[in-house]
Amino acid sequence: MKRSRQIGLIMIISGATLWGISGPMIQWLFQKTELTSADYLVVRLIAAGIILLSFLFFAKQDIFTIWKHPSQWIQLVIFSVLGMLGAQYAFIETVYISNAVTATLFQFLGPVFIMIWVAVLNKKLPSSMQFIALFAALAGVFYLITNGSVQDIVLSKKAIIFGGLTALGFMFYTLHPAALIKRWGTSIIVGWGMLIGGIVLFLANPGFSFFEMTGSLTVSTFSMLILIIISGTVSFVLYIGSLKYLSAVETSLLSSIEPLVATVLSITWLNESFGVYQLLGGAFIVIAVVFLAVPEKETSVVSENIT
């Protein structure tokens, strides 16, 4: 195995584990405080962005040159707002409305959306394995939402909408920043993406106050907030950085440990309970991503063409 591929595997497995852990941690924070999704994200994105960019600056990396190239910073702003902020807000709101496992599973539908996008972009029908994956994903979503009973839908309409937006956001921040990362590096793009996304959300949320928010936190909840910011930042850097060494679909496949980690923690730590059919739905979604990786050679070529 090439060393570059080993690095990619380590990055995505570590990043997926951290992201799987962060979901239940965020859910715990919402249960123990009165923070809204917007309040939490303003702090998380701005703090993480400043920390990461400051580290790069003191490490003598040029973090400002990208702003001298209009075509590049325009793409950076698009990624920051639609990718970084859009995906995280949809994910966090899904956690807030439902739970961490549901949000993680909806996010995991992202590879299916990538498959559909690639098929449309190349004007080519998906392979037989990809059709199986699509069917498994649809079955998974059905069971996740209904728990096997159409008359008694488990998830609210709002949770379903934000869950869908989470999957779309996953697709966007997987595909869009690839060219930017190749030119400027993972850390710079993620750092600016977080800072810009946080500033945009802060401006869109004029009632937010750092002092009021921090004043409402206890030692334990503030410590958890700091821990989430650190783990979330590292997970994003590792996930997006792995795209240098692995294809988008390979990365999506290897991130399959996210829902497993989130589910185990939610059940053992947060005492969450899930219906049998909901767990079955989660398994179908993971199986869908596994099937997506079967036509590996074809998928990797397509991913290179996109980026």
Side-chain angles (χ1 to χ4, degrees):
M1 185 184 296
K2 293 182 179 179
R3 180 170 176 78
S4 61
R5 184 171 177 80
Q6 289 179 328
I7 293 173
L9 291 173
I10 292 172
M11 291 178 75
I12 184 56
I13 292 173
S14 301
T17 301
L18 285 175
W19 190 252
I21 292 172
S22 68
M25 290 166 64
I26 295 168
Q27 184 177 338
W28 179 90
L29 187 65
F30 284 146
Q31 291 175 349
K32 301 296 182 179
T33 67
E34 296 183 358
L35 292 179
T36 65
S37 300
D39 293 337
Y40 162 76
L41 267 184
V42 166
V43 175
R44 174 176 178 170
L45 291 177
I46 292 179
I50 291 175
I51 292 170
L52 186 53
L53 290 174
S54 297
F55 174 80
L56 295 173
F57 179 78
F58 288 112
K60 306 299 183 181
Q61 290 199 37
D62 188 356
I63 63 175
F64 298 109
T65 302
I66 189 173
W67 294 100
K68 298 178 181 179
H69 303 271
S71 62
Q72 296 295 295
W73 67 253
I74 289 173
Q75 291 302 313
L76 175 60
V77 171
I78 292 173
F79 165 67
S80 302
V81 177
L82 298 182
M84 185 65 70
L85 174 58
Q88 288 212 38
Y89 184 82
F91 178 86
I92 298 303
E93 189 67 15
T94 307
V95 174
Y96 186 80
I97 298 168
S98 53
N99 54 65
V101 175
T102 298
T104 304
L105 288 173
F106 268 114
Q107 175 186 273
F108 217 57
L109 287 174
V112 179
F113 285 10
I114 292 175
M115 177 202 75
I116 295 172
W117 171 249
V118 168
V120 172
L121 192 67
N122 290 277
K123 299 178 181 178
K124 183 179 178 181
L125 288 175
S127 66
S128 56
M129 283 295 183
Q130 289 174 328
F131 268 119
I132 294 174
L134 180 59
F135 176 79
L138 292 174
V141 172
F142 172 79
Y143 285 123
L144 180 65
I145 292 173
T146 65
N147 196 30
S149 175
V150 180
Q151 285 75 30
D152 188 21
I153 295 178
V154 177
L155 298 180
S156 67
K157 184 184 295 184
K158 189 175 180 181
I160 296 171
I161 291 173
F162 276 100
L165 291 174
T166 298
L168 286 172
F170 176 95
M171 178 189 75
F172 189 84
Y173 79 66
T174 297
L175 297 179
H176 183 79
L180 288 171
I181 288 170
K182 285 181 180 179
R183 181 166 180 178
W184 304 102
T186 303
S187 299
I188 290 176
I189 299 304
V190 172
W192 280 117
M194 288 181 168
L195 181 58
I196 295 169
I199 291 173
V200 169
L201 185 58
F202 174 73
L203 295 175
N205 188 25
F208 174 81
S209 170
F210 282 103
F211 297 105
E212 290 183 9
M213 193 211 73
T214 54
S216 66
L217 299 176
T218 63
V219 173
S220 60
T221 54
F222 182 75
S223 300
M224 180 63 76
L225 177 60
I226 298 300
L227 188 59
I228 293 171
I229 290 172
I230 295 173
S231 63
T233 303
V234 173
S235 69
F236 257 86
V237 171
L238 291 173
Y239 176 83
I240 297 182
S242 69
L243 295 171
K244 278 186 174 181
Y245 311 104
L246 305 171
S247 72
V249 174
E250 283 180 312
T251 301
S252 302
L253 168 67
L254 293 168
S255 65
S256 60
I257 60 176
E258 286 179 26
L260 176 61
V261 172
T263 301
V264 171
L265 274 181
S266 294
I267 293 175
T268 58
W269 179 35
L270 301 178
N271 297 318
E272 285 280 354
S273 60
F274 301 94
V276 174
Y277 285 104
Q278 282 185 291
L279 294 175
L280 179 63
F284 269 124
I285 292 173
V286 174
I287 289 171
V289 178
V290 172
F291 273 114
L292 281 179
V294 173
E296 185 176 358
K297 185 175 181 180
E298 175 186 349
T299 308
S300 298
V301 171
V302 170
S303 298
E304 291 173 4
N305 291 336
I306 291 174
T307 58

